[in-house]
Amino acid sequence: MTATVSWLDDITMTELERNPYPVYERLRSEAPLAYVPVLGSYVASTAEICREIATRGDFEAIITKAGGRTFGHPAVIGVNGEIHEDLRSMVDPALQPQEVDRWIDDLVRPIARRYLETFEDEGSAELVAQYCEPVSVRALGDLLGLQSVSSDKLREWFHKLSRSFTNAGVDENGEFTNPEGFREGDEAKAEIRAIVDPLIDNWIEKPDDSAISHWLHDGMPDGQTRDREYIYPTVYVYLLGAMQEPGHGIASTLVGLFGEPEQMERVVDDPALIPRAVSEGMRWTSPIWSATARISTRPVTVAGVDLPAGTPVILSYGSANHDDDRYAAPTRFDIDRPPLPHLAFGAGNHACAGIYYANHVMRIALEELLEAIPNLERDTSSDVEFWGWGFRGPTTLHTVW
Ligand code: 261
């Protein structure tokens, strides 16, 4: 066997985290299903291959290596069969449209108003920290039953879990290059346990209408509850992705609109266009950019590549959503695109459970923001910097009005 040196060997975590798009443009055109050494994994980068692997029957879910190190087992994103069915039956009911429609407005609108009131008379704001993240975490925090946990604490938790979950870099032996990167995830989990364990003690005795209380009790025989060790990995899934990504989505959609002032004007004049803007924002900078994976259950050939049974493949949906086989000029933010579906919420039996909920959180946050501040502009004296390969969004968004 001949070892060949390839450009794939030179890909680094730092460049993926700063801006994965150039590397992935080359992956899509030259190696759309490729082994990427720094990730220690195969990566799928086109829309067709991501969709195929997410939906065909000879792949099943697996959590990424750094994700598993961070969340433990059984996290809903990384299990299959009966455990997956049970965890989905636990999280799905509250997220169905007929359920979400009952409370989403009363939940999110007052939260959005409350944060807007803290800065709407100021004439300037950094919207990621002052609006997008707080609205995102407070809405879900209240839904889960974490009203007693401050928004700043919830933000700190998702930031720590997120960096740990995506601390993916490995050396040639498959060992993590930066094992210290998991420490902040471990710290966050210890703090979460210290705060949530007493809440769980209480919910076991006195169920209420919070989501975590339902997770403990629903579908269980009388007098029994799900074991907390069994639900914690899925609690962490929520405390990372469900806390962080609506905020990423709100901020990315705003950056897209700021870059296309004519589209921003139309959206401000006609808020009914906000769902379209959000959908395009999800495609343009997908919040869950490259954070989920599948594993082959038997030897398979995909896109001409032979994979043995038991081969993990990371699904880079953020790249799939820039596939120019599907989307003309994919780097352009354009609410008038042909109505093609995107993969920002995944596909197959592990597709996002919160799609309806998250889309409404983002919609309401943008409705309230643009109604309160219709003359909102990006503060062009500072740049917008996006960060992240696993999860991606603007780190700050300075605005004036
Ligand atoms: C709610 C979705 O959360 C996640 C999705 C993918 C990876 C990690 C997550 O926490």
Side-chain angles (χ1 to χ4, degrees):
M1 200 170 115
T2 323
T4 51
V5 177
S6 144
W7 63 277
L8 295 165
D9 296 309
D10 296 329
I11 299 172
T12 65
M13 274 326 292
T14 305
E15 78 177 316
L16 290 175
E17 287 165 345
R18 287 199 183 131
N19 181 8
Y21 288 106
V23 166
Y24 273 90
E25 189 178 338
R26 189 164 179 194
L27 282 169
R28 289 193 303 275
S29 79
E30 295 180 24
L33 178 58
Y35 188 83
V36 176
V38 71
L39 301 170
S41 176
Y42 277 86
V43 169
S45 55
T46 64
E48 190 182 337
I49 299 173
C50 283
R51 182 175 293 284
E52 180 176 349
I53 291 175
T55 55
R56 57 190 272 174
D58 44 18
F59 280 87
E60 61 182 20
I62 184 170
I63 195 165
T64 59
K65 194 166 176 231
R69 166 65 181 77
T70 302
F71 285 175
H73 176 81
V76 64
I77 59 171
V79 292
N80 299 288
E82 271 176 35
I83 297 179
H84 180 234
E85 269 171 43
D86 178 62
L87 290 171
R88 283 299 289 241
S89 79
M90 176 182 96
V91 301
D92 281 342
L95 296 170
Q96 296 314 296
Q98 64 269 41
E99 195 60 18
V100 172
D101 284 344
R102 284 198 305 118
W103 42 257
I104 192 73
D105 231 79
D106 292 344
L107 173 71
V108 183
R109 226 172 271 288
I111 291 170
R113 279 300 320 155
R114 186 145 44 81
Y115 286 106
L116 281 167
E117 273 162 26
T118 66
F119 62 78
E120 65 189 338
D121 298 331
E122 301 278 307
S124 70
E126 194 286 278
L127 289 180
V128 170
Q130 291 184 261
Y131 190 69
C132 307
E133 291 184 355
V135 172
S136 183
V137 302
R138 194 68 275 149
L140 182 68
D142 289 2
L143 186 64
L144 288 178
L146 305 179
Q147 290 89 343
S148 60
V149 184
S150 74
S151 299
D152 284 345
K153 183 53 73 182
L154 294 170
R155 291 172 58 214
E156 182 191 320
W157 285 348
F158 84 60
H159 279 294
K160 288 180 167 178
L161 290 172
S162 179
R163 287 187 295 259
S164 178
F165 189 99
T166 58
N167 180 32
V170 294
D171 63 20
E172 57 282 0
N173 301 314
E175 305 289 340
F176 287 117
T177 316
N178 174 30
E180 300 76 39
F182 297 110
R183 202 147 58 199
E184 59 181 336
D186 293 339
E187 281 166 20
K189 278 182 290 179
E191 217 175 272
I192 290 163
R193 293 291 307 235
I195 289 172
V196 178
D197 269 337
L199 296 173
I200 289 178
D201 294 338
N202 201 54
W203 282 316
I204 290 172
E205 299 306 322
K206 292 192 225 71
D208 65 19
D209 212 25
S210 66
I212 297 177
S213 179
H214 279 286
W215 294 1
L216 289 162
H217 292 276
D218 286 3
M220 297 297 286
D222 260 0
Q224 288 182 42
T225 48
R226 285 187 181 80
D227 192 303
R228 72 187 66 194
E229 303 310 323
Y230 173 78
I231 71 168
Y232 260 118
T234 299
V235 171
Y236 302 143
V237 171
Y238 268 59
L239 292 182
L240 195 185
M243 286 286 175
Q244 175 168 250
E245 306 326 329
H248 269 158
I250 297 162
S252 291
T253 300
L254 283 168
V255 174
L257 287 168
F258 284 135
E260 302 288 342
E262 171 267 338
Q263 295 179 45
M264 176 64 103
E265 199 176 307
R266 282 166 56 205
V267 169
V268 169
D269 288 347
D270 181 6
L273 291 173
I274 287 173
R276 274 166 69 171
V278 167
S279 177
E280 174 63 353
M282 296 292 91
R283 184 204 66 80
W284 184 66
T285 302
S286 304
I288 300 186
W289 208 96
S290 188
T292 61
R294 299 291 187 274
I295 186 167
S296 55
T297 54
R298 59 178 186 81
V300 289
T301 303
V302 182
V305 180
D306 294 326
L307 305 175
T311 305
V313 181
I314 292 173
L315 301 176
S316 291
Y317 289 131
S319 167
N321 287 337
H322 276 221
D323 187 338
D324 62 9
D325 278 355
R326 270 180 96 71
Y327 308 102
T331 59
R332 181 164 184 243
F333 182 93
D334 180 6
I335 64 172
D336 299 315
R337 285 181 180 282
L340 275 174
H342 59 63
L343 282 165
F345 295 96
N349 66 335
H350 279 267
C352 178
I355 178 165
Y356 191 82
Y357 168 81
N359 275 306
H360 281 291
V361 171
M362 295 186 282
R363 171 182 63 79
I364 295 167
L366 288 168
E367 284 172 2
E368 291 298 325
L369 174 67
L370 297 180
E371 182 179 329
I373 314 175
N375 54 342
L376 186 72
E377 286 177 25
R378 191 167 86 71
D379 178 356
T380 50
S381 69
S382 53
D383 289 336
V384 176
E385 187 186 301
F386 285 77
W387 188 89
W389 160 80
F391 308 99
R392 189 163 182 82
T395 55
T396 59
L397 178 50
H398 292 276
T399 57
V400 292
W401 57 90

